[in-house]
Amino acid sequence: MNILGFSITRSKNIDADLAIFQKAMVEHMESGSLVKGRSSENTTVDFMSSLLNESQAMKPEFNIEVLRICNYLAKHNSDISYAVDNIVQLGNTPENITFDDGVSADQAKEMIKYLNVYEKSIYAGGMNSLKNDLFAQLAITGAVSLEAIPKRDMSGLDKVVLVDPYHIRFIYNDSTYSYDPYQKLPDKLGYKDDLHKLNTDQYKYYALRRMSDSPYAIPPFMAAFEGLELEKDMLKNMRNIIRKLGIFGFLSVMLTPPRRKQNETDAQFTARCTQYLENIRPEVEKGYAGGMAMGFEGQTKYNIEASTTNVSGASDVM
């Protein structure tokens, strides 16, 4: 591999290779071909905002509320929920822990038992549940956002917690040419938002896909919002068509109207007939749903009217 005109190859003496590489870097700097620090400018930071407030967090290239929408759809929309489940199932492949021949079967059994208990102590459900939740978080928000909390005596991990990317903000660090993660939380009185700087030794944020130099991950399902809206309209129209036509047909019930009373006006008689049909309707629906219908011979007539368009002619129905 060639870097800055210096060829790097595999070598058993890594320290010697690094020393030669560092010497080449110094020579390039002295010759003026290299400058100290970053030569390009960060174009994703709002200059006016950073001028007015040095701690101003840069905004993502999309409305942050999209993350809330993605979380909602992953729970309530059948297509998005199914897609997330597929990603989790395909991504979290089975794993096996094996030991070399020097470990006896009893020792291996004890170690596997210890690992299972330890995994469940740092995350509910163990490593398998953690991977499932991380894959789901990645699919929904486009990022893996978690914190590994060490024990106070630094003997191992105490807990692993997922951190909602909705609350994560980044501030550009001119010294490190990187973005420092912060957690945006409301203060105790709720008047303003406070930015709490996160410890990058414990907190990690990995974006599946980003745009330009922005640190924020792009939610994969954001591009499907327009299609979901069209699908919603299509299902609504289909629901109306099915209600009107029925798939296989509809039931027609012909009843003998009540007798007209003496001195009853047309409006009164029409209202009484309408009320009579409304009173009969619930019983007819109940009987039709149960596969049974009752009535008086010669006064009630039931017919199943077949739809003129069969199932194979769905395009004609549409």
Side-chain angles (χ1 to χ4, degrees):
M1 181 173 58
N2 188 284
I3 300 178
L4 302 176
F6 176 72
S7 179
I8 299 178
T9 58
R10 288 177 177 265
S11 173
K12 294 182 179 180
N13 193 342
I14 299 178
D15 292 335
D17 286 343
L18 288 176
I20 296 174
F21 180 68
Q22 290 173 353
K23 181 180 178 182
M25 292 281 288
V26 172
E27 293 176 352
H28 277 286
M29 285 186 177
E30 291 177 348
S31 65
S33 59
L34 288 179
V35 295
K36 293 182 179 180
R38 180 174 177 175
S39 61
S40 60
E41 292 293 334
N42 188 306
T43 58
T44 59
V45 177
D46 187 343
F47 175 73
M48 290 302 297
S49 297
S50 61
L51 187 64
L52 296 173
N53 184 0
E54 293 181 357
S55 64
Q56 177 71 31
M58 64 173 297
K59 297 180 180 179
E61 297 179 333
F62 56 91
N63 190 334
I64 196 67
E65 295 300 324
V66 166
L67 295 180
R68 290 281 181 89
I69 298 174
C70 289
N71 272 293
Y72 178 85
L73 292 175
K75 298 174 184 176
H76 300 283
N77 181 269
S78 59
D79 294 330
I80 299 298
S81 177
Y82 184 63
V84 172
D85 184 66
N86 280 342
I87 292 173
V88 171
Q89 296 297 329
L90 293 173
N92 190 2
T93 55
E95 63 176 16
N96 293 314
I97 299 177
T98 59
F99 303 92
D100 57 36
D101 297 336
V103 179
S104 66
D106 292 337
Q107 290 175 329
K109 184 177 179 181
E110 286 297 320
M111 286 189 283
I112 293 295
K113 182 179 179 180
Y114 172 80
L115 287 174
N116 289 334
V117 173
Y118 177 70
E119 289 174 0
K120 291 179 181 179
S121 70
I122 63 175
Y123 194 82
M127 191 59 61
N128 188 65
S129 295
L130 175 60
K131 291 192 294 182
N132 282 339
D133 294 344
L134 288 176
F135 273 114
Q137 185 189 57
L138 182 66
I140 297 170
T141 66
V144 169
S145 175
L146 79 159
E147 183 176 9
I149 307 171
K151 293 182 178 179
R152 294 187 180 276
D153 59 1
M154 304 303 291
S155 60
L157 286 180
D158 186 18
K159 291 290 181 182
V160 174
V161 295
L162 302 186
V163 183
D164 191 353
Y166 175 81
H167 299 290
I168 299 300
R169 300 293 184 273
F170 290 95
I171 295 179
Y172 185 69
N173 191 326
D174 291 318
S175 301
T176 60
Y177 313 115
S178 60
Y179 298 92
D180 296 332
Y182 289 76
Q183 190 175 26
K184 185 178 181 181
L185 297 174
D187 66 355
K188 295 180 180 179
L189 297 178
Y191 291 126
K192 63 178 181 179
D193 291 327
D194 291 334
L195 290 178
H196 172 65
K197 189 172 183 179
L198 299 174
N199 184 351
T200 54
D201 291 331
Q202 299 175 196
Y203 173 74
K204 300 298 178 183
Y205 181 100
Y206 301 106
L208 175 66
R209 183 182 59 180
R210 301 183 304 160
M211 300 298 290
S212 64
D213 195 34
S214 174
Y216 294 97
I218 303 298
F221 294 123
M222 184 171 63
F225 286 176
E226 183 177 357
L228 291 174
E229 184 64 24
L230 293 175
E231 177 187 304
K232 181 180 178 181
D233 292 338
M234 291 173 61
L235 291 176
K236 183 178 180 180
N237 291 336
M238 279 294 296
R239 191 178 295 113
N240 291 333
I241 292 173
I242 291 174
R243 284 177 177 175
K244 289 181 179 180
L245 298 181
I247 297 178
F248 300 107
F250 60 92
L251 172 69
S252 67
V253 181
M254 308 304 295
L255 301 172
T256 301
R259 293 181 179 274
R260 188 164 185 167
K261 296 180 180 181
Q262 189 175 5
N263 300 325
E264 189 176 29
T265 64
D266 292 340
Q268 292 173 336
F269 178 66
T270 300
R272 192 159 59 87
C273 289
T274 301
Q275 185 61 46
Y276 173 70
L277 293 177
E278 291 297 326
N279 294 338
I280 295 294
R281 180 187 181 117
E283 297 301 321
V284 173
E285 290 179 344
K286 187 188 301 182
Y288 184 55
M292 181 181 66
M294 297 179 63
F296 295 104
E297 186 177 358
Q299 295 183 354
T300 308
K301 183 179 180 180
Y302 297 91
N303 285 318
I304 299 295
E305 306 292 346
S307 176
T308 56
T309 304
N310 57 29
V311 178
S312 62
S315 60
D316 295 333
V317 176
M318 292 298 298

